[in-house]
Amino acid sequence: MTAHKKTTADFWFDPLCPWAWMTSRWMLEVEKLRPVRVRWHVMSLAVLNENRLDELPEDYAEAMRNAWGPVRVCVAAAQEHGEEVLGRLYTALGTRFHNQGLPRERETIIAALEEAGLPASLADAAGSDAYDEALRKSHAEGIEKVGTEVGTPVIAVPGPEGREVAFFGPVVTPAPKGEAAARLWDGTLLVASTPGFYEIKRTRTEGPVFD
C-alpha cells in the first residue's frame, strides 16, 4: 500500500515518560500490521508541570526540573535534520532510558544521537533555551487537541467524517504485539469514530513492563 493511502497517527511524546514509551512501541507494531504511518511530535512534561512544581512531591518536582534536556535535544534534531528523524531518535533514547535504565545524562544522549545517525553536538541543546519556543509550540499543539487535564502520550487519529480526534493514551502495559496490537488499533479508530466519545479509564494496578 502506498504512503498516501495510509492512515496518519500523530503521536506526541516526552522521551522520559515510560507510559508514552509503551504506547509508542505499540504504535510501531501497528505500523507493521495495518496501513498506518506514525508522525512523531514532541511534548514536554517539564512544560506541562512548570507552574505547579510546588504542588508536586519533591522527587517528582526535581525530575521535572531536569526533564528539559532530552526534549530540547529532540526539538533541535527535528529543526536541524527534519522531523523524520524523531522516530529513530526517540527509539534510541527510550531504549536507553527505559529498557536499559541508563542515566538521563549527556553521555546517554550522545550515544542515542549517534545510534540515530545524528551529530553528537546536538546534545548541547539540552542545556540551552534556544529551542524552547519551538518546544512550547509543539507541546501546545498536542495539548490543545485534548485539554490540559492529561499528560503524555497524546495520539490524534481520523474521527467522524475524517475529522481529527485526539486522546491521551491508550495507556497499556506491556505493549501489545501481533494481532492484539492490531485489535487495539482497530478499537481506537472505532471509539474515535463515535461522536461525543471522551473517555474510558480504570485505575492502573501494574507498572510499565519493558520487553
Side-chain angles (χ1 to χ4, degrees), residues 7-10 26-27 30 33-38 155-158 170 179-191:
T7 297
T8 296
D10 286 290
W26 161 66
M27 282 305 312
V30 170
L33 300 164
R34 294 291 188 266
V36 176
R37 177 176 69 99
V38 181
I155 183 172
V157 299
E179 189 56 28
R183 288 197 303 269
L184 179 57
W185 170 253
D186 295 341
T188 299
L189 292 184
L190 180 62
V191 297

Side-chain angles (χ1 to χ4, degrees), residues 1-209:
M1 178 160 302
T2 58
H4 73 277
K5 293 183 179 179
K6 290 187 176 183
T7 297
T8 296
D10 286 290
F11 191 107
W12 279 262
F13 69 92
D14 184 317
L16 295 189
C17 178
W19 296 106
W21 178 246
M22 303 302 297
T23 308
S24 72
R25 300 309 92 182
W26 161 66
M27 282 305 312
L28 291 183
E29 186 76 0
V30 170
E31 280 191 318
K32 302 174 186 176
L33 300 164
R34 294 291 188 266
V36 176
R37 177 176 69 99
V38 181
R39 192 161 54 190
W40 304 98
H41 310 271
V42 179
M43 64 184 299
S44 170
L45 292 172
V47 172
L48 186 69
N49 291 289
E50 64 181 336
N51 295 321
R52 54 187 296 265
L53 293 179
D54 292 343
E55 306 169 15
L56 301 174
E58 181 52 36
D59 57 343
Y60 191 74
E62 183 63 20
M64 292 302 96
R65 295 185 190 100
N66 295 326
W68 291 91
V71 285
R72 284 170 167 169
V73 171
C74 288
V75 171
Q79 282 207 347
E80 297 185 20
H81 299 274
E83 291 189 350
E84 65 274 8
V85 306
L86 278 176
R88 66 178 187 264
L89 178 56
Y90 181 25
T91 289
L93 285 169
T95 299
R96 286 166 171 79
F97 292 161
H98 304 298
N99 296 71
Q100 298 175 9
L102 294 177
R104 298 162 182 183
E105 60 188 21
R106 180 179 176 86
E107 289 74 15
T108 304
I109 291 173
I110 287 174
L113 286 165
E114 291 175 343
E115 180 184 317
L118 295 165
S121 59
L122 285 170
D124 294 342
S128 169
D129 63 2
Y131 296 93
D132 284 5
E133 182 178 352
L135 170 60
R136 291 178 184 278
K137 180 180 178 182
S138 180
H139 175 85
E141 287 172 350
I143 286 295
E144 285 170 1
K145 296 178 184 297
V146 290
T148 58
E149 298 178 358
V150 304
T152 175
V154 169
I155 183 172
V157 299
E161 300 178 358
R163 296 192 304 272
E164 185 181 62
V165 174
F167 298 109
F168 163 66
V171 175
V172 61
T173 186
K177 301 288 194 303
E179 189 56 28
R183 288 197 303 269
L184 179 57
W185 170 253
D186 295 341
T188 299
L189 292 184
L190 180 62
V191 297
S193 71
T194 304
F197 174 84
Y198 288 99
E199 184 175 11
I200 294 176
K201 190 172 183 178
R202 63 176 178 164
T203 299
R204 293 195 296 264
T205 59
E206 191 174 352
V209 177

